[in-house]
Amino acid sequence: MQRTETKIGFDKVRGMVVGKCSTRGAASHAESLDIMTDAGEISRALKLTDEMRLICMFEDTFPLEDYVDMRDFLMPLESGSACISLSNLGLLQKGLGTIRRMVGFFRSSRDGVYPNLKEMAAAVAYFPEVARKIDSILDKFGAVRDTASEELREIRRRLHEKEKSVARIISSVMKKAQADGIVDLDASVVVREGKTLIPVSASGKHRIQGIVYDESASGKTSFIEPIEVVAANNDIRELQFEEQREIQRILFEFTDFLRPYLAEIIDSADFLIKVDFIKAKALVALDMAAGMPLISENGELNLRKARHPLLEKSLHREGKEIVPLNLNLTNNRRIILISGPNAGGKSVCLKTVGLLQVMFQWGMLIPTSEVSEMVVFDKIFVDIGDNQSLENDLSTYSSHLTDMRDITEQADSRTLVLIDEFGSGTEPAAGGAIAEAVLDCLAEKEVYGVITTHYTNLKLYASNSTRVINGAMQFDAAAITPLFSLEQGLPGNSFAFELARKIGLSEDIIKSAEEKAGTDFVDMERQLRKIARNRRALDEKLTRVKHADKTLESLTDRYEKELSEIKELRKNIINEAKAEAKEIVAGANKRIEQTIREIREAQAEKEKTKEARAKVTELQKSLAENEAQSESDRLIEKKMEQILARKEREAKRKEERARKQGIELPRPKIEKDNTPDPLKVGDKVRIKESDMVGEIIQITAKKVAVAVGSITSRVDPDKVERISTSQFKTLAKNTSSKSTSGTMAVKGQEAVSQRTLNFSPSIDIRGEHLEDALNIVTHFIDDAIMIGIGTVKILHGKGTGVLREEIRKYLKTIPNVKNVRDEDIQFGGAGITVVELD
């Protein structure tokens, strides 16, 4: 595996992670960790790294420093005679503080945020009692506090007094010596090894009584400890020794206190090292602008906008941009055979796939679009470069054959094979034949592979194979310049003659070479590309048909929803009309009751009674006019009929398209509500045994309430019969009132134009999943076309560019879309797509 890592460059990526580790334990783990082959284990490692990447980007309260490897000094303390040192006690204080802040961060974070790291930290303890004990011993600078023990407090008090006494004596001796001219006036006392000394010139050192403790390098100055402070300095020295003994006693006492917690603290130290390793991977991911890919569930390896991180870094230093790689291996076509000119990027494609695959299975985020899908492999074989060995008597081609033997013997359906310059290194006819046989063996074993070659027979094999696909490195034939972009489905051309002309090789030699190659060679290259181009065109056409079908299904669902909405709207309009009618009826009932009361009170004669009843009848007829069908009802019914007709036309078009493609497609059902219903609220009815007509406004178990004008009558259900709207108009002698009709018509028009009034010519789909975004854009463009808007804007952001690319791919399938372009750079540039409609 080490040879594989070196050949694809993973050893350098591993070194980058090691360099980001803060602890020796994390660095050691990074140096020894192998790739994983379990999808669940890889998924967890990726999620942990991705969550840490987000934390490094957005969380200020998470500790990213003060990571301490505590295991090395904690494990020896399990022995009863061991004692923690003062420096290690400071490291323990720092490490426990980091763990406390880390665990506190995850416990205070919301549910669902950083769930994997939160689960990892759930069982970790940070030992507040141990932390408090350490804080009682050490201050924030790591020095032992005076209050660590009563004995230490007393020792330091005495020591401080002695030092003050020595300072007074030294100051007095110094002033006298300066006054006597023995010591320079600008001189000051110095401290050497804890002793306070006076600097005296060598000629005057015998004039001060004391001990010559040291002298300058030139010998011109002597440092004397005056006799007056010798005893006091000795006392200070003894107190310092006593201080150190007390501190050591405190450390032994703390170690005994710590020992019962050691096992759990070591577990917490392991947690800190794991987080340090995850943090290192996350920081490298940020440097690479890497993201978390998907783990393929259907065996499809799909790289989108993949970048070789080491090459990208190198190009960036030169001020150049890398060309991203798009590559797709399906379950049916698991091997891609890449051909093209030398220095055109074939080997870079191969190494990019290999490096990103190893990074992925090592638990790292990879520099690709996050919609990329990766397959988990049990084995990865690499045959790149020259493996010749003088010790083993292996030539270049022999070493390639040795690799081929190992690959064909050990590879299976869960193997990735990477072979550069397949078949090269020996006589072309034999090398090409052996390479084709090996390629056929690999295809039979259903291995995944990325293989580069120049051999025409291998390109022919891939063109005729259902398990191997050609890939071409694109080349600008006019400028004789490689484009470093992979195009799947086409065999590549070496462009050997064109390159020879570009570098200035004699034209006579080139023409001679072309004649020797023969027209068959040139024609074969041309025909291979033509076949592959036709196949690609067919694939693109099938893709467009699938997009069109998806759009049609979306429209069908939309029409059904629209039909339901209009039915609901009609129901609401009717209910509003009923409510208005009830208010009118209530007022009319009051007038009738008042008239009846007047008749009774006045004891009116027969003629006056007839006159009052005539007024009531006239009022009833007037109110009946409010129940006629309004203009808005007719608009709604017309709209419903148009929707049904449009839905039928779309279904027929879809059926016709499927018939032409030889696919049987069931027509969508368009249900019409023609089933006769029992009496219900809103029905127009005639009361039997009379010519009075009205509308049912309430139904109970035994009675129906019929609004006849402004009068409500409760009758048995069998006393009424349903009538049509036209019958209702005939029986009701007057037309609908203008006020009610006008109100209803306005509401109908508002319903029809509601979508126009609410339409906005721009839409924001940032943060949406791809499928949801496509659905939103589908409805948005449909509305714009229906309303007649000329230009609309779609805000999708820049990101990885996947959302922008898929949206534009969909827009190209819509016939009414005239043009698609980026917004002006000052208004958003590539983050906004401007769509011009016919």
Side-chain angles (χ1 to χ4, degrees):
M1 188 63 191
Q2 184 175 0
R3 184 167 70 95
T4 297
E5 289 186 11
T6 303
K7 285 183 175 294
I8 62 176
F10 182 70
D11 57 329
K12 294 183 176 62
V13 175
R14 187 192 290 267
M16 293 167 67
V17 175
V18 171
K20 296 289 186 181
C21 292
S22 301
T23 62
R24 192 161 62 87
S28 176
H29 179 68
E31 288 170 347
S32 61
L33 182 65
D34 290 329
I35 65 172
M36 297 168 279
T37 57
D38 179 73
E41 190 178 1
I42 294 171
S43 176
R44 176 168 172 77
L46 290 174
K47 290 175 181 177
L48 288 170
T49 307
D50 191 50
E51 290 175 7
M52 183 60 72
R53 177 180 67 94
L54 296 175
I55 287 175
C56 293
M57 290 173 64
F58 302 117
E59 301 291 353
D60 296 330
T61 58
F62 185 84
L64 296 176
E65 298 177 346
D66 293 338
Y67 286 55
V68 179
D69 191 348
M70 301 181 287
R71 296 182 304 176
D72 290 344
F73 64 80
L74 286 177
M75 288 180 178
L77 298 182
E78 293 177 341
S79 170
S81 60
C83 176
I84 192 169
S85 67
L86 186 59
S87 60
N88 287 340
L89 181 62
L91 292 176
L92 179 61
Q93 182 184 40
K94 183 184 292 184
L96 290 179
T98 302
I99 293 173
R100 176 183 59 79
R101 295 195 303 274
M102 197 175 291
V103 172
F105 171 85
F106 288 118
R107 289 182 180 175
S108 63
S109 62
R110 301 190 310 274
D111 291 340
V113 179
Y114 316 125
N116 295 280
L117 284 171
K118 191 170 184 176
E119 179 185 359
M120 181 177 166
V124 176
Y126 56 87
F127 311 100
E129 287 299 323
V130 176
R132 278 194 286 271
K133 186 72 172 177
I134 297 175
D135 290 342
S136 70
I137 297 173
L138 300 181
D139 60 20
K140 62 180 180 180
F141 302 108
V144 179
R145 298 177 183 272
D146 294 347
T147 57
S149 73
E150 289 298 326
E151 292 81 357
L152 183 62
R153 185 203 297 270
E154 178 61 21
I155 291 170
R156 286 184 172 175
R157 185 189 64 77
R158 289 158 50 201
L159 180 62
H160 183 61
E161 289 179 353
K162 282 291 183 183
E163 288 173 342
K164 286 169 57 178
S165 175
V166 168
R168 285 195 299 270
I169 296 171
I170 284 288
S171 176
S172 175
V173 172
M174 185 77 171
K175 288 179 180 178
K176 185 174 183 307
Q178 287 174 332
D180 295 340
I182 302 172
V183 177
D184 294 337
L185 293 175
D186 59 349
S188 59
V189 297
V190 296
V191 178
R192 297 284 175 90
E193 297 182 3
K195 292 183 178 294
T196 307
L197 310 173
I198 295 177
V200 182
S201 61
S203 59
K205 62 183 179 182
H206 298 293
R207 298 175 62 184
I208 295 180
Q209 290 186 337
I211 299 171
V212 178
Y213 195 82
D214 197 3
E215 66 178 7
S216 64
S218 63
K220 294 181 179 181
T221 303
S222 297
F223 299 97
I224 299 175
E225 181 182 18
I227 193 67
E228 293 89 344
V229 297
V230 170
N233 273 340
N234 289 338
D235 290 342
I236 289 174
R237 195 68 174 164
E238 288 180 2
L239 286 171
Q240 288 173 343
F241 289 144
E242 190 175 347
E243 178 188 30
Q244 291 303 314
R245 287 193 297 272
E246 178 59 20
I247 289 174
Q248 192 63 29
R249 186 194 68 77
I250 292 170
L251 293 176
F252 266 108
E253 183 182 80
F254 173 78
T255 304
D256 291 338
F257 165 80
L258 181 68
R259 199 164 281 118
Y261 299 98
L262 278 177
E264 292 175 299
I265 294 178
I266 290 173
D267 289 341
S268 295
D270 287 335
F271 164 76
L272 190 59
I273 288 173
K274 290 176 184 177
V275 173
D276 186 27
F277 173 63
I278 295 169
K279 175 177 68 74
K281 291 194 296 179
L283 293 175
V284 172
L286 287 173
D287 290 343
M288 295 180 177
M292 185 174 70
L294 303 173
I295 297 180
S296 177
E297 297 181 354
N298 58 2
E300 182 171 324
L301 193 155
N302 185 18
L303 286 176
R304 304 281 295 178
K305 297 186 180 299
R307 311 180 313 278
H308 193 293
L310 304 179
L311 176 61
E312 184 176 31
K313 188 176 181 180
S314 175
L315 291 174
H316 182 71
R317 286 195 296 265
E318 299 174 10
K320 299 178 182 178
E321 294 290 333
I322 195 169
V323 179
L325 168 67
N326 293 320
L327 181 143
N328 179 253
L329 298 180
T330 66
N331 242 329
N332 296 326
R333 293 176 180 266
R334 296 187 170 195
I335 299 176
I336 183 169
L337 188 75
I338 304 176
S339 50
N342 287 318
K346 299 188 302 296
S347 298
V348 171
C349 287
L350 181 144
K351 290 181 179 180
T352 299
V353 175
L355 177 57
L356 299 193
Q357 184 65 44
V358 173
M359 288 173 62
F360 161 73
Q361 293 196 218
W362 203 65
M364 289 189 69
L365 306 182
I366 59 177
T368 68
S369 164
E370 293 188 346
V371 298
S372 295
E373 294 182 271
M374 304 296 288
V375 178
V376 178
F377 297 109
D378 292 337
K379 289 170 279 190
I380 300 175
F381 289 99
V382 176
D383 180 24
I384 301 175
D386 188 357
N387 295 324
Q388 63 176 317
S389 170
L390 297 178
E391 293 83 359
N392 297 324
D393 194 25
L394 283 177
S395 67
T396 299
Y397 188 64
S398 297
S399 69
H400 286 312
L401 288 179
T402 302
D403 288 338
M404 293 305 103
R405 180 199 63 198
D406 295 341
I407 292 171
T408 53
E409 288 178 356
Q410 301 176 35
D412 55 27
S413 61
R414 289 179 58 85
T415 300
L416 175 64
V417 174
L418 307 171
I419 305 175
D420 195 23
E421 299 295 345
F422 196 27
S424 63
T426 189
E427 193 274 321
I434 292 175
E436 185 174 340
V438 171
L439 181 58
D440 190 57
C441 176
L442 296 178
E444 286 288 341
K445 287 177 173 285
E446 296 184 342
V447 304
Y448 290 78
V450 180
I451 300 173
T452 68
T453 189
H454 286 287
Y455 284 178
T456 302
N457 68 307
L458 297 181
K459 301 178 195 177
L460 280 170
Y461 176 90
S463 296
N464 297 319
S465 173
T466 58
R467 295 171 296 189
V468 182
I469 186 171
N470 269 309
M473 298 309 301
Q474 294 184 352
F475 192 85
D476 187 343
I480 316 298
T481 304
L483 301 177
F484 306 108
S485 178
L486 175 65
E487 184 176 12
Q488 284 194 215
L490 296 176
N493 194 320
S494 64
F495 292 96
F497 300 131
E498 290 82 356
L499 289 171
R501 285 190 175 91
K502 182 179 181 181
I503 65 173
L505 192 63
S506 169
E507 186 63 27
D508 292 338
I509 294 176
I510 295 173
K511 288 183 178 179
S512 175
E514 289 177 336
E515 291 174 0
K516 292 179 184 297
T519 57
D520 289 345
F521 171 81
V522 178
D523 290 342
M524 182 178 296
E525 290 286 331
R526 185 181 298 114
Q527 291 302 320
L528 276 174
R529 294 186 69 80
K530 183 178 180 181
I531 291 169
R533 192 177 295 109
N534 291 339
R535 177 177 293 177
R536 186 181 64 178
L538 180 60
D539 290 341
E540 290 177 353
K541 191 172 183 179
L542 288 174
T543 301
R544 286 196 300 270
V545 169
K546 289 179 181 178
H547 275 293
D549 285 345
K550 185 176 180 180
T551 303
L552 184 59
E553 290 175 4
S554 176
L555 285 173
T556 301
D557 293 340
R558 183 179 170 198
Y559 292 154
E560 290 178 351
K561 183 179 179 182
E562 191 177 70
L563 180 61
S564 176
E565 289 175 353
I566 290 186
K567 285 182 177 179
E568 183 66 24
L569 177 63
R570 182 177 184 273
K571 181 179 177 182
N572 291 339
I573 291 174
I574 291 172
N575 289 339
E576 289 177 10
K578 288 178 183 178
E580 187 177 347
K582 284 181 180 179
E583 293 179 3
I584 297 172
V585 167
N589 283 338
K590 289 181 181 179
R591 289 177 58 188
I592 292 171
E593 289 172 1
Q594 183 179 356
T595 303
I596 293 172
R597 187 165 53 252
E598 289 175 356
I599 292 171
R600 289 176 178 172
E601 290 175 356
Q603 296 291 318
E605 297 178 358
K606 187 175 182 181
E607 290 299 325
K608 289 186 177 182
T609 303
K610 285 183 179 181
E611 183 181 345
R613 287 178 178 173
K615 291 180 180 181
V616 172
T617 303
E618 184 179 351
L619 177 61
Q620 290 175 345
K621 290 179 180 180
S622 175
L623 292 174
E625 296 171 2
N626 292 323
E627 302 301 321
Q629 185 183 35
S630 67
E631 180 64 23
S632 62
D633 289 331
R634 288 193 295 276
L635 288 173
I636 293 170
E637 289 178 0
K638 184 178 179 181
K639 179 64 176 177
M640 292 170 66
E641 291 172 359
Q642 289 175 350
I643 291 172
L644 288 171
R646 181 170 56 185
K647 190 172 180 183
E648 287 177 347
R649 287 196 301 272
E650 293 295 340
K652 287 178 181 178
R653 288 196 195 104
K654 184 175 180 181
E655 189 178 47
E656 180 65 19
R657 190 184 299 116
R659 186 184 62 76
K660 289 180 179 179
Q661 296 175 10
I663 304 171
E664 287 193 11
L665 198 67
R667 290 186 63 185
K669 294 181 180 179
I670 304 175
E671 298 181 358
K672 297 183 180 180
D673 191 10
N674 293 326
T675 305
D677 294 329
L679 290 174
K680 60 182 182 297
V681 174
D683 281 349
K684 300 293 190 297
V685 295
R686 183 179 70 84
I687 299 176
K688 296 178 181 179
E689 301 177 356
S690 76
D691 291 331
M692 298 184 69
V693 293
E695 179 182 343
I696 297 176
I697 61 173
Q698 185 181 15
I699 299 177
T700 61
K702 297 181 179 181
K703 298 285 185 179
V704 293
V706 181
V708 181
S710 60
I711 300 175
T712 301
S713 300
R714 297 184 181 278
V715 297
D716 295 332
D718 58 355
K719 299 291 185 182
V720 298
E721 60 181 358
R722 185 188 292 111
I723 59 175
S724 65
T725 303
S726 59
Q727 289 174 317
F728 179 85
K729 289 179 179 180
T730 302
L731 294 172
K733 294 183 179 180
N734 296 315
T735 58
S736 300
S737 67
K738 293 182 180 180
S739 60
T740 303
S741 177
T743 302
M744 298 284 280
V746 170
K747 291 179 180 178
Q749 291 167 1
E750 288 177 352
V752 173
S753 62
Q754 182 180 8
R755 201 174 291 275
T756 302
L757 294 175
N758 294 333
F759 183 79
S760 172
S762 63
I763 190 171
D764 186 351
I765 57 171
R766 291 175 297 178
E768 298 287 348
H769 293 295
L770 179 58
E771 185 176 348
D772 295 335
L774 284 172
N775 191 39
I776 293 169
V777 171
T778 298
H779 289 180
F780 177 63
I781 296 299
D782 287 345
D783 286 346
I785 293 171
M786 183 183 299
I787 294 168
I789 300 297
T791 303
V792 294
K793 297 180 181 180
I794 302 172
L795 174 58
H796 42 64
K798 295 179 181 178
T800 60
V802 174
L803 188 57
R804 171 181 178 269
E805 180 181 345
E806 293 299 325
I807 291 297
R808 294 194 173 190
K809 188 182 295 181
Y810 162 71
L811 290 172
K812 290 177 182 178
T813 66
I814 302 175
N816 297 82
V817 174
K818 182 169 63 176
N819 184 35
V820 177
R821 60 180 171 83
D822 286 343
E823 176 61 283
D824 189 274
I825 189 66
Q826 62 180 329
F827 299 118
I832 299 175
T833 292
V834 179
V835 185
E836 297 177 5
L837 304 170
D838 287 336

